[in-house]
Each structure stands twice: as structure tokens, then as C-alpha cells.
Amino acid sequence: MKNRLRSWNALVVAAALCAGTPARAAPPVEKRTIKLPVVVSGVSATKARVVLEQAYAAIGIEVVLVNMPGERALIESTRGAMDGEIVRTALVEQDYPQLLRVPVPLYFFSISTLVRNEAGAIAPSLEEAKTMRRVGVVRGLKATEITVRGWDNLTVANNVETALKMLRAKRFDVLVAPTEATLASMRTHNLPDDAFKLRTVMTLPAYHYLNQKNAALIPAIGAELTKLKGKRASVLDGIEAAPPTRQSNE
């Protein structure tokens, strides 16, 4: 009987102590974010950023965008300071195995050659460009860098804008660069549409990449992108083919 009383008294004391201790509020749930570098401009690249923001939002992740040059972006994304790359072609996998492809094409990326719009000038094929005296390429845009790798006639520019200025100033004879980023830079910096002659020489599917530390996200984000792609060749094709959403009058 005494043992029962002792046990009961102990329970009463414990309950009283608990009642006197204010309950601790649950710690706030930290919102998950993912940091991605913005490297190139252009209609497709801009649409791809919006698509990724929507796809990540669907799985509860906010995308934080950081502007940086292409070479710097690869340094940061391969070491994990950035969580991945918004869009790159599969050529990047040759040199950066730390980047893992989300295997759903976002859009198709094209490379062009550009020359000054002078009398008789014709934008060359890649084979023809290789034999020219001076060829320009933009540092950090790996699809173009890898395409011209090993050429002994290269002059490197830090960005597309600088490359276009160098081409106009006759610092090189032909520029090999991403088509959309080049056209976007021309518009942004008020260069006339007829300043250059352009020829598309290569088209490649472009993919979203994640640093290997984020490998667990690939199935979920891939599934969201696949929904948007549907039966089309790329995500942007799928979005453009989707019927407009009807608004209710209610």
C-alpha cells in the first residue's frame, strides 16, 4: 500500500512539474531552396527558367537565381556552391561528371557562325570556320567551347556582348556562338539586325543539370518536367502545344 502511495505521489509531482513548464513552440519549418546560375539570355533560356521555377514549386522548392558568367557558373555548380545548371547540353558531361542530367529535354539549343555583314560575306560551316585565320568563342559556354576544342585559331571573349564588339572591330573573322543568346545580346545592345550574317551549324537538346549532391531530386523534378513535355519533343514544345486554360465565369 505504501509503495502504491509513493508511486501515485511521484506521478502527481511529475504532472505538476510538466504543467508548470511552458510548452516550447515547434521550430519553424525551413523552406527548401535551390540556387541556380543564370548564364545566357534568349527567349528559350528565359522560358526554361520560368518552367523550372514552376516545376520546383510543385515539389515544394523555391528557385533562387544568381547571374554569373558561364565559366564561373560551372566552377560553382561542380563544387556544389550552386545546386546545378539551369540548362546545358550533354557535351558538358565530358568534362563535368559532377553534374547529373535530368533526362527531359527542355528545348533545342542551336549554335551559329557569324561574320560581319560585308559585301560578298557568307557565314561559314564549321568545317570552313576551322580553316579561317581567327575564330571567336565565348568563355564558359561549353557547347561552343567543346565544339571548337583543339582549333589553333581561337580568340576567347568573356561574354557574348564582348564577342560581338570584337567581331565588329575585326578582332576575329568569324564568331561561333549560341544562336539565341547572340540574337538577344544584339537586341539588348541595340545592334542592327543586319550587322552580321548568321548560319546555324548545329542543334542539340538542352537539359537541366543538378550537382551530384542533389541526385535524389532528379526523379521528382524529372516527373514534373515530363508532365509539361507530354508527347512533344521538349518541355517548351509541350507548353506551347498545350491548350489555354479556360477561366470559369462563376
Side-chain angles (χ1 to χ4, degrees), residues 178-194:
T179 308
E180 281 201 1
T182 301
L183 295 175
S185 183
M186 288 175 63
R187 288 189 293 270
T188 299
H189 298 96
N190 298 315
L191 292 175
D193 293 340
D194 60 354

PDB file of all heavy atoms in Angstrom, residues 178-194:
ATOM      1  N   PRO A 178      26.212  30.595 -79.296  1.00  0.00           N
ATOM      2  CA  PRO A 178      24.812  30.171 -79.209  1.00  0.00           C
ATOM      3  C   PRO A 178      23.911  31.146 -79.962  1.00  0.00           C
ATOM      4  O   PRO A 178      24.009  32.363 -79.784  1.00  0.00           O
ATOM      5  CB  PRO A 178      24.525  30.201 -77.706  1.00  0.00           C
ATOM      6  CG  PRO A 178      25.855  30.137 -77.053  1.00  0.00           C
ATOM      7  CD  PRO A 178      26.792  30.839 -77.971  1.00  0.00           C
ATOM      8  N   THR A 179      23.030  30.620 -80.777  1.00  0.00           N
ATOM      9  CA  THR A 179      22.209  31.466 -81.647  1.00  0.00           C
ATOM     10  C   THR A 179      21.331  32.428 -80.858  1.00  0.00           C
ATOM     11  O   THR A 179      21.363  33.647 -81.071  1.00  0.00           O
ATOM     12  CB  THR A 179      21.329  30.583 -82.546  1.00  0.00           C
ATOM     13  OG1 THR A 179      22.150  29.617 -83.206  1.00  0.00           O
ATOM     14  CG2 THR A 179      20.602  31.420 -83.581  1.00  0.00           C
ATOM     15  N   GLU A 180      20.521  31.899 -79.941  1.00  0.00           N
ATOM     16  CA  GLU A 180      19.556  32.752 -79.234  1.00  0.00           C
ATOM     17  C   GLU A 180      20.236  33.783 -78.351  1.00  0.00           C
ATOM     18  O   GLU A 180      19.808  34.936 -78.282  1.00  0.00           O
ATOM     19  CB  GLU A 180      18.594  31.899 -78.405  1.00  0.00           C
ATOM     20  CG  GLU A 180      17.488  31.275 -79.219  1.00  0.00           C
ATOM     21  CD  GLU A 180      16.294  30.883 -78.360  1.00  0.00           C
ATOM     22  OE1 GLU A 180      16.318  31.112 -77.140  1.00  0.00           O
ATOM     23  OE2 GLU A 180      15.337  30.341 -78.930  1.00  0.00           O
ATOM     24  N   ALA A 181      21.298  33.367 -77.665  1.00  0.00           N
ATOM     25  CA  ALA A 181      21.994  34.311 -76.795  1.00  0.00           C
ATOM     26  C   ALA A 181      22.606  35.441 -77.620  1.00  0.00           C
ATOM     27  O   ALA A 181      22.636  36.600 -77.186  1.00  0.00           O
ATOM     28  CB  ALA A 181      23.074  33.587 -76.005  1.00  0.00           C
ATOM     29  N   THR A 182      23.080  35.106 -78.815  1.00  0.00           N
ATOM     30  CA  THR A 182      23.664  36.124 -79.684  1.00  0.00           C
ATOM     31  C   THR A 182      22.608  37.112 -80.151  1.00  0.00           C
ATOM     32  O   THR A 182      22.805  38.335 -80.104  1.00  0.00           O
ATOM     33  CB  THR A 182      24.332  35.451 -80.891  1.00  0.00           C
ATOM     34  OG1 THR A 182      25.349  34.560 -80.431  1.00  0.00           O
ATOM     35  CG2 THR A 182      24.960  36.486 -81.804  1.00  0.00           C
ATOM     36  N   LEU A 183      21.472  36.611 -80.602  1.00  0.00           N
ATOM     37  CA  LEU A 183      20.394  37.492 -81.069  1.00  0.00           C
ATOM     38  C   LEU A 183      19.864  38.357 -79.928  1.00  0.00           C
ATOM     39  O   LEU A 183      19.559  39.534 -80.109  1.00  0.00           O
ATOM     40  CB  LEU A 183      19.275  36.660 -81.687  1.00  0.00           C
ATOM     41  CG  LEU A 183      19.654  35.890 -82.968  1.00  0.00           C
ATOM     42  CD1 LEU A 183      18.496  34.998 -83.417  1.00  0.00           C
ATOM     43  CD2 LEU A 183      20.047  36.847 -84.082  1.00  0.00           C
ATOM     44  N   ALA A 184      19.758  37.760 -78.730  1.00  0.00           N
ATOM     45  CA  ALA A 184      19.284  38.521 -77.568  1.00  0.00           C
ATOM     46  C   ALA A 184      20.252  39.642 -77.216  1.00  0.00           C
ATOM     47  O   ALA A 184      19.847  40.761 -76.892  1.00  0.00           O
ATOM     48  CB  ALA A 184      19.090  37.589 -76.380  1.00  0.00           C
ATOM     49  N   SER A 185      21.546  39.361 -77.280  1.00  0.00           N
ATOM     50  CA  SER A 185      22.541  40.380 -76.974  1.00  0.00           C
ATOM     51  C   SER A 185      22.509  41.508 -78.007  1.00  0.00           C
ATOM     52  O   SER A 185      22.650  42.689 -77.658  1.00  0.00           O
ATOM     53  CB  SER A 185      23.938  39.759 -76.936  1.00  0.00           C
ATOM     54  OG  SER A 185      24.909  40.709 -76.583  1.00  0.00           O
ATOM     55  N   MET A 186      22.285  41.163 -79.257  1.00  0.00           N
ATOM     56  CA  MET A 186      22.170  42.189 -80.300  1.00  0.00           C
ATOM     57  C   MET A 186      21.001  43.135 -80.007  1.00  0.00           C
ATOM     58  O   MET A 186      21.134  44.349 -80.118  1.00  0.00           O
ATOM     59  CB  MET A 186      21.994  41.523 -81.667  1.00  0.00           C
ATOM     60  CG  MET A 186      23.248  40.850 -82.194  1.00  0.00           C
ATOM     61  SD  MET A 186      22.941  39.955 -83.753  1.00  0.00           S
ATOM     62  CE  MET A 186      22.460  41.294 -84.839  1.00  0.00           C
ATOM     63  N   ARG A 187      19.865  42.549 -79.603  1.00  0.00           N
ATOM     64  CA  ARG A 187      18.695  43.384 -79.300  1.00  0.00           C
ATOM     65  C   ARG A 187      18.939  44.247 -78.064  1.00  0.00           C
ATOM     66  O   ARG A 187      18.608  45.430 -78.040  1.00  0.00           O
ATOM     67  CB  ARG A 187      17.461  42.504 -79.104  1.00  0.00           C
ATOM     68  CG  ARG A 187      16.929  41.875 -80.385  1.00  0.00           C
ATOM     69  CD  ARG A 187      15.585  41.212 -80.148  1.00  0.00           C
ATOM     70  NE  ARG A 187      15.696  40.067 -79.266  1.00  0.00           N
ATOM     71  CZ  ARG A 187      15.912  38.829 -79.677  1.00  0.00           C
ATOM     72  NH1 ARG A 187      16.049  38.572 -80.972  1.00  0.00           N
ATOM     73  NH2 ARG A 187      15.982  37.834 -78.818  1.00  0.00           N
ATOM     74  N   THR A 188      19.531  43.633 -77.040  1.00  0.00           N
ATOM     75  CA  THR A 188      19.762  44.349 -75.786  1.00  0.00           C
ATOM     76  C   THR A 188      20.679  45.554 -75.989  1.00  0.00           C
ATOM     77  O   THR A 188      20.486  46.608 -75.375  1.00  0.00           O
ATOM     78  CB  THR A 188      20.370  43.396 -74.734  1.00  0.00           C
ATOM     79  OG1 THR A 188      19.452  42.331 -74.494  1.00  0.00           O
ATOM     80  CG2 THR A 188      20.655  44.125 -73.427  1.00  0.00           C
ATOM     81  N   HIS A 189      21.671  45.395 -76.855  1.00  0.00           N
ATOM     82  CA  HIS A 189      22.662  46.452 -77.039  1.00  0.00           C
ATOM     83  C   HIS A 189      22.456  47.235 -78.337  1.00  0.00           C
ATOM     84  O   HIS A 189      23.368  47.899 -78.838  1.00  0.00           O
ATOM     85  CB  HIS A 189      24.067  45.841 -76.978  1.00  0.00           C
ATOM     86  CG  HIS A 189      24.369  45.207 -75.665  1.00  0.00           C
ATOM     87  ND1 HIS A 189      24.217  43.852 -75.420  1.00  0.00           N
ATOM     88  CD2 HIS A 189      24.760  45.759 -74.475  1.00  0.00           C
ATOM     89  CE1 HIS A 189      24.529  43.585 -74.171  1.00  0.00           C
ATOM     90  NE2 HIS A 189      24.854  44.717 -73.576  1.00  0.00           N
ATOM     91  N   ASN A 190      21.225  47.126 -78.856  1.00  0.00           N
ATOM     92  CA  ASN A 190      20.793  47.960 -79.991  1.00  0.00           C
ATOM     93  C   ASN A 190      21.681  47.822 -81.223  1.00  0.00           C
ATOM     94  O   ASN A 190      21.915  48.797 -81.949  1.00  0.00           O
ATOM     95  CB  ASN A 190      20.718  49.437 -79.573  1.00  0.00           C
ATOM     96  CG  ASN A 190      19.698  49.661 -78.467  1.00  0.00           C
ATOM     97  OD1 ASN A 190      18.591  49.137 -78.523  1.00  0.00           O
ATOM     98  ND2 ASN A 190      20.084  50.425 -77.460  1.00  0.00           N
ATOM     99  N   LEU A 191      22.182  46.618 -81.459  1.00  0.00           N
ATOM    100  CA  LEU A 191      22.917  46.374 -82.693  1.00  0.00           C
ATOM    101  C   LEU A 191      21.911  46.133 -83.813  1.00  0.00           C
ATOM    102  O   LEU A 191      20.906  45.438 -83.615  1.00  0.00           O
ATOM    103  CB  LEU A 191      23.830  45.153 -82.542  1.00  0.00           C
ATOM    104  CG  LEU A 191      25.015  45.325 -81.585  1.00  0.00           C
ATOM    105  CD1 LEU A 191      25.752  44.008 -81.438  1.00  0.00           C
ATOM    106  CD2 LEU A 191      25.951  46.410 -82.088  1.00  0.00           C
ATOM    107  N   PRO A 192      22.142  46.672 -84.993  1.00  0.00           N
ATOM    108  CA  PRO A 192      21.181  46.477 -86.087  1.00  0.00           C
ATOM    109  C   PRO A 192      21.073  45.014 -86.488  1.00  0.00           C
ATOM    110  O   PRO A 192      22.046  44.252 -86.405  1.00  0.00           O
ATOM    111  CB  PRO A 192      21.766  47.326 -87.220  1.00  0.00           C
ATOM    112  CG  PRO A 192      23.203  47.540 -86.863  1.00  0.00           C
ATOM    113  CD  PRO A 192      23.283  47.524 -85.371  1.00  0.00           C
ATOM    114  N   ASP A 193      19.879  44.611 -86.894  1.00  0.00           N
ATOM    115  CA  ASP A 193      19.636  43.225 -87.271  1.00  0.00           C
ATOM    116  C   ASP A 193      20.535  42.764 -88.408  1.00  0.00           C
ATOM    117  O   ASP A 193      20.850  41.577 -88.520  1.00  0.00           O
ATOM    118  CB  ASP A 193      18.166  43.040 -87.681  1.00  0.00           C
ATOM    119  CG  ASP A 193      17.224  43.214 -86.506  1.00  0.00           C
ATOM    120  OD1 ASP A 193      17.689  43.091 -85.355  1.00  0.00           O
ATOM    121  OD2 ASP A 193      16.023  43.468 -86.738  1.00  0.00           O
ATOM    122  N   ASP A 194      20.930  43.712 -89.262  1.00  0.00           N
ATOM    123  CA  ASP A 194      21.746  43.333 -90.414  1.00  0.00           C
ATOM    124  C   ASP A 194      23.246  43.569 -90.188  1.00  0.00           C
ATOM    125  O   ASP A 194      24.033  43.649 -91.130  1.00  0.00           O
ATOM    126  CB  ASP A 194      21.283  44.095 -91.658  1.00  0.00           C
ATOM    127  CG  ASP A 194      21.391  45.609 -91.490  1.00  0.00           C
ATOM    128  OD1 ASP A 194      21.718  46.058 -90.371  1.00  0.00           O
ATOM    129  OD2 ASP A 194      21.154  46.324 -92.481  1.00  0.00           O
TER     130      ASP A 194
END
